[in-house]
Amino acid sequence: MIEVIPVSSKKELTDFIDFPHDLYKNDPYYVPELFIAQRDLLTKHPFHKHNSLQTFIAYKDGKIAGRIAAILNNAHNEFNKRNDGFFGFFDCIDDDDVAAELFNTVKNWLKEKGVTQKIIGPVNFSTNEPCGLLVEGFDSSPVLMDTYNAPYYINLVEKQGYQKQIDLISWNWEGQNYDDKSVRLLTTLQERLKRNNILIRNVNLKDFKNETIKLREVYNKAWDQNTGFVPMNDEEFDYLAKDLKLILDPDFCLIAEQEGKIVGFGLALPDYNQIFKTIKRGRLLPTGIFKLLLNKKKISRIRIYALGVIEGYRKMGIEACLYGTIIKRYKERGFKCAEAGWTLENNILINNAIIAIKGDPYKKYRLYEKDI
């Protein structure tokens, strides 16, 4: 017997967050999300002020067998002139019947909300947050803020009639196995940009509030042509920035600026998943916090999380300068590997640039869609 219920209590929310820990308890590549971060995301994130979300738990024979969230993202529909719904936070045992009940529940909920076009996912809550179903690259753990799932999820989703919308690619470098042309040309590139009064600098953490205001404008302009993009409002970007500030390294948060105007930025983050992997069930207390504090210096990987330049300033060498500076500091700091991602499979310009510096497309995530 399969039963799907809406999450409505603190205990059910805890069960919803904890289910993947039990599902993947024997998976060597699984990394638990921090409980407090997931709880706040599902209950306190500014997204909830202007959009709707309902989480569901599936039980089979009295035991938790799956979870999913139905998401109505009004900002997406307004910006893209659509009437779509989304699914996210999908985890399930290898059981087609359980998956069918979960997806049908999402479809019915979205129909009640007036959605008439497509259901898209997985996204948690949009492409601004972790998204995509892992379809290639199951032989390593996810890097910070990447999704993870077992290979059988592909069949679970596709048997429900979902088809590929677009693939997202993550790129990898091991050790010094990269083309350092952008590093060798860094001085030349910087001089060229300087003639146009453009400089590359570190983020100013002492003036982080004002930096965040300018960075939000760049973020919403630099990615606005990407498939499925949703602009972030002030509160949402501040929420993200506040979280990132806790873990960012100023040496890897770079700003391209022309006479006080920010025209691009590059952000690489230490891979805290290397620590989170050791924190049982994502609980920082009582001992997880010590693992976090004591092992920060042992992190050996970075993730190039975002790198973008606004229209009118592209192809001037800013992108190469940002990449070159990150690579140079990666080498100086002794990191052993790096990930860049994700990028859209149809972003030929940026993908070719990554291939040119020997990026290895080692993981692929997929966004699916289905007519409602």
Side-chain angles (χ1 to χ4, degrees), residues 22-123:
D22 298 318
L23 184 65
Y24 290 103
K25 62 183 178 182
N26 297 318
D27 188 325
Y29 301 125
Y30 174 69
V31 179
E33 296 279 3
L34 292 183
F35 177 84
I36 189 171
Q38 286 289 284
R39 184 195 63 195
D40 288 355
L41 181 66
L42 290 165
T43 59
K44 298 181 180 180
H45 193 283
F47 175 88
H48 301 288
K49 292 184 179 181
H50 309 287
N51 307 283
S52 301
L53 174 143
Q54 179 61 59
T55 48
F56 299 93
I57 298 174
Y59 294 86
K60 182 174 183 179
D61 300 329
K63 294 183 179 179
I64 298 179
R67 69 172 195 171
I68 203 166
I71 303 163
L72 180 61
N73 189 326
N74 294 313
H76 163 89
N77 286 334
E78 182 178 344
F79 183 77
N80 293 287
K81 297 179 174 57
R82 298 285 303 173
N83 187 13
D84 299 324
F86 294 85
F87 75 88
F89 300 92
F90 173 65
D91 286 290
C92 188
I93 62 173
D94 191 2
D95 188 307
D96 292 337
D97 294 333
V98 174
E101 290 294 330
L102 286 168
F103 282 109
N104 284 335
T105 301
V106 165
K107 181 180 69 174
N108 293 335
W109 187 89
L110 290 171
K111 278 187 171 182
E112 289 177 4
K113 291 292 183 180
V115 172
T116 59
Q117 292 187 292
K118 293 184 180 294
I119 305 175
I120 302 167
V123 298

Side-chain angles (χ1 to χ4, degrees), residues 143-347:
V143 177
L144 182 72
M145 298 173 73
D146 280 340
T147 60
Y148 181 74
N149 55 265
Y152 68 79
Y153 278 41
I154 301 170
N155 287 330
L156 291 182
V157 173
E158 293 182 355
K159 282 185 177 180
Q160 299 309 312
Y162 283 85
Q163 298 179 328
K164 171 185 168 180
Q165 182 190 67
I166 196 166
D167 282 347
L168 321 172
I169 304 170
S170 285
W171 308 79
N172 186 58
W173 292 267
E174 293 289 335
Q176 307 303 314
N177 185 31
Y178 53 81
D179 188 321
D180 66 349
K181 182 179 179 181
S182 58
V183 178
R184 297 194 307 271
L185 295 177
L186 194 55
T187 301
T188 303
L189 290 168
Q190 289 171 332
E191 287 298 323
R192 183 193 301 170
L193 294 178
K194 194 173 181 180
R195 289 195 289 271
N196 289 300
N197 295 318
I198 297 171
L199 61 87
I200 306 293
R201 64 172 176 84
N202 288 8
V203 67
N204 182 359
L205 292 180
K206 292 182 179 179
D207 191 30
F208 194 67
K209 185 176 181 179
N210 287 324
E211 296 272 60
T212 297
I213 294 170
K214 297 177 183 178
L215 286 170
R216 183 181 68 85
E217 294 176 7
V218 174
Y219 180 85
N220 284 338
K221 290 179 180 177
W223 280 272
D224 65 347
Q225 298 302 311
N226 284 355
T227 300
F229 177 77
V230 182
M232 300 181 88
N233 64 34
D234 292 359
E235 281 188 282
E236 290 171 341
F237 196 83
D238 287 346
Y239 187 97
L240 174 63
K242 182 184 70 174
D243 280 355
L244 291 180
K245 187 181 180 183
L246 298 174
I247 59 175
L248 69 78
D249 183 324
D251 281 346
F252 291 103
C253 186
L254 306 173
I255 289 172
E257 189 174 64
Q258 183 184 56
E259 298 175 348
K261 175 186 176 182
I262 297 179
V263 298
F265 71 93
L267 172 62
L269 298 167
D271 181 21
Y272 275 82
N273 270 12
Q274 292 182 332
I275 302 176
F276 296 161
K277 191 174 181 178
T278 69
I279 298 177
K280 189 174 181 180
R281 302 181 77 78
R283 274 22 178 220
L284 285 176
L285 298 176
T287 60
I289 188 68
F290 296 108
K291 290 181 180 179
L292 186 61
L293 295 173
L294 294 174
N295 292 307
K296 287 168 64 174
K297 292 184 178 179
K298 295 180 181 179
I299 294 174
S300 61
R301 178 190 289 270
I302 61 169
R303 177 188 176 189
I304 304 173
Y305 174 69
L307 192 146
V309 177
I310 64 174
E311 188 66 45
Y313 290 86
R314 294 165 188 164
K315 299 183 180 180
M316 294 177 63
I318 296 174
E319 297 94 337
C321 215
L322 290 169
Y323 265 120
T325 303
I326 288 172
I327 292 171
K328 181 173 180 286
R329 293 177 180 179
Y330 161 93
K331 186 175 182 179
E332 291 170 347
R333 295 278 294 273
F335 285 96
K336 295 179 180 178
C337 43
E339 177 186 288
W342 44 261
T343 65
L344 292 167
E345 64 176 340
N346 60 8
N347 192 338

